[in-house]
Amino acid sequence: MNIKQEDNGKKGKFFVELDGKQEAEMTYTYAGSDKIIIDHTEVSEKLKGQGVGYKLVEAAVEFMRDKGLKVIPLCPFAAAVFKKKHEYSDRLA
């Protein structure tokens, strides 16, 4: 599964497209120069139960580690993943 990213320097998203249609996304907004706020995660019925939400969070963690960013997970799903996956705790703001 190919996770794509769009980022305009103020906000962005990680997303999955199937047949040219966006089927999953996790959106974020920058909070200063060193943090992002994950504010929304959504996965279509077509992809539910396949761990796509986790893959979106994993892609965000890789991005944050690469850029030296921390996260404030306001999205309930993302917050639950960060609470469950202790290996991601180094990214929490």
Side-chain angles (χ1 to χ4, degrees):
M1 178 166 305
N2 186 25
I3 295 179
K4 299 178 181 180
Q5 181 183 15
E6 289 179 1
D7 188 309
N8 68 11
K10 294 182 181 179
K11 59 185 178 177
K13 67 180 178 177
F14 292 90
F15 61 101
V16 174
E17 284 182 344
L18 292 177
D19 301 321
K21 183 173 183 250
Q22 185 173 295
E23 296 289 348
E25 77 171 357
M26 184 182 69
T27 59
Y28 61 90
T29 304
Y30 283 88
S33 61
D34 62 345
K35 285 191 234 21
I36 63 170
I37 297 168
I38 295 176
D39 51 23
H40 180 72
T41 305
E42 187 172 346
V43 177
S44 73
E45 286 298 320
K46 190 183 283 190
L47 295 179
K48 283 232 182 348
Q50 298 180 39
V52 175
Y54 280 102
K55 289 180 174 110
L56 293 170
V57 173
E58 182 180 10
V61 168
E62 288 177 25
F63 167 72
M64 288 183 284
R65 286 183 177 146
D66 185 51
K67 301 290 185 190
L69 300 170
K70 298 279 187 172
V71 68
I72 301 167
L74 294 183
C75 163
F77 174 79
V81 173
F82 277 94
K83 191 172 186 178
K84 186 176 183 179
K85 299 263 190 181
H86 299 290
E87 64 268 28
Y88 297 165
S89 63
D90 65 314
R91 294 297 96 203
L92 288 170

